[in-house]
């Protein structure tokens, strides 16, 4: 018997919620209870009066699962599926520590310049680079640094926004 799997799609969901204790736990609990994985999760206060937060969740799954996730996200003000809404911008911040001496050190700096990574800390044996960009850009930079002495990676998770003058 041949088992076919539905295509796994990655979606970027912006979820607007009240900024109050327990909301994030309720939302992530829904994912846990249903066995859904989260590739990336970020949350931040977005209103002047600190009453509203934006949670950006990046799940992966077949279209029916993504539909179910969107429908079951409660209690929320609004869910915007950036992936389906049209052109949008996604960015992530990463701190990447690379150890090395001699040629590896020089090569790490050269690659960092090509990727427009900033050196935010340096010692005689290591650098900490700060890099912002698409997840693919960050993944590529990390892969190159693995060969040169990658020590540690910290990533912020994805934030996303629709292109153009509108809000959604």
């Amino acid at each position: 018997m041949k088992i076919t799997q539905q295509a796994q799609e990655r979606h970027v969901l912006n979820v607007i919620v009240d900024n109050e204790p327990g909301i994030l736990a309720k939302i992530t609990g829904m994912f846990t209870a249903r066995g859904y994985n989260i590739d990336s999760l970020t949350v931040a206060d977005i209103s002047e009066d600190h009453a509203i937060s934006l949670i950006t969740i990046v799940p992966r799954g077949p279209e029916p699962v993504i539909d179910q996730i969107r429908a079951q996200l409660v209690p929320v003000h609004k869910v915007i599926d950036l992936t389906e809404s049209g052109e949008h911008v996604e960015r992530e911040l990463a701190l990447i520590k690379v150890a090395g001496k001699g040629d590896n050190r020089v090569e790490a700096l050269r690659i960092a310049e090509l990727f427009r990574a900033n050196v935010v800390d340096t010692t005689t044996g290591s650098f900490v680079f700060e890099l912002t960009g698409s997840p693919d850009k960050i993944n590529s930079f990390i892969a190159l640094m693995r060969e040169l002495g990658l020590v540690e990676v910290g990533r912020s998770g994805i934030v996303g926004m629709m292109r153009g003058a509108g809000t959604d």
Side-chain angles (χ1 to χ4, degrees):
M1 181 169 129
K2 185 176 179 182
I3 298 173
T4 59
Q5 285 189 338
Q6 291 180 301
Q8 298 284 308
E9 294 184 20
R10 175 185 170 277
H11 283 251
V12 179
L13 307 177
N14 274 354
V15 183
I16 299 169
V17 299
D18 288 329
N19 185 14
E20 56 187 42
I23 295 292
L24 183 60
K26 285 179 187 175
I27 290 172
T28 56
M30 183 275 295
F31 279 81
T32 301
R34 288 160 183 81
Y36 303 148
N37 191 38
I38 297 172
D39 286 356
S40 175
L41 174 71
T42 60
V43 63
D45 170 8
I46 61 166
S47 62
E48 190 174 338
D49 64 358
H50 308 289
I52 304 293
S53 287
L54 173 64
I55 301 172
T56 302
I57 304 172
V58 181
R60 188 179 303 272
E63 191 61 37
V65 169
I66 300 298
D67 290 341
Q68 189 176 28
I69 288 169
R70 282 192 302 256
Q72 294 178 350
L73 280 171
V74 291
V76 303
H77 292 281
K78 189 178 200 178
V79 177
I80 304 162
D81 186 335
L82 297 177
T83 306
E84 289 192 350
S85 295
E87 291 188 40
H88 63 281
V89 177
E90 295 177 27
R91 290 295 181 263
E92 186 175 4
L93 168 74
L95 295 176
I96 299 111
K97 185 186 294 183
V98 179
K101 301 221 182 237
D103 289 344
N104 281 359
R105 189 171 173 87
V106 171
E107 183 65 4
L109 283 170
R110 188 187 70 74
I111 291 169
E113 185 176 336
L114 291 172
F115 277 79
R116 297 184 184 152
N118 296 314
V119 176
V120 294
D121 184 64
T122 186
T123 68
T124 57
S126 69
F127 292 108
V128 175
F129 297 107
E130 173 189 69
L131 180 63
T132 58
S134 70
D136 287 342
K137 176 183 177 181
I138 292 172
N139 290 339
S140 296
F141 185 78
I142 291 169
L144 290 169
M145 290 300 131
R146 265 194 190 94
E147 299 174 18
L148 298 174
L150 181 70
V151 174
E152 185 177 357
V153 176
R155 294 175 82 154
S156 66
I158 294 167
V159 294
M161 182 176 293
M162 293 303 301
R163 293 193 64 202
T167 58
D168 58 67

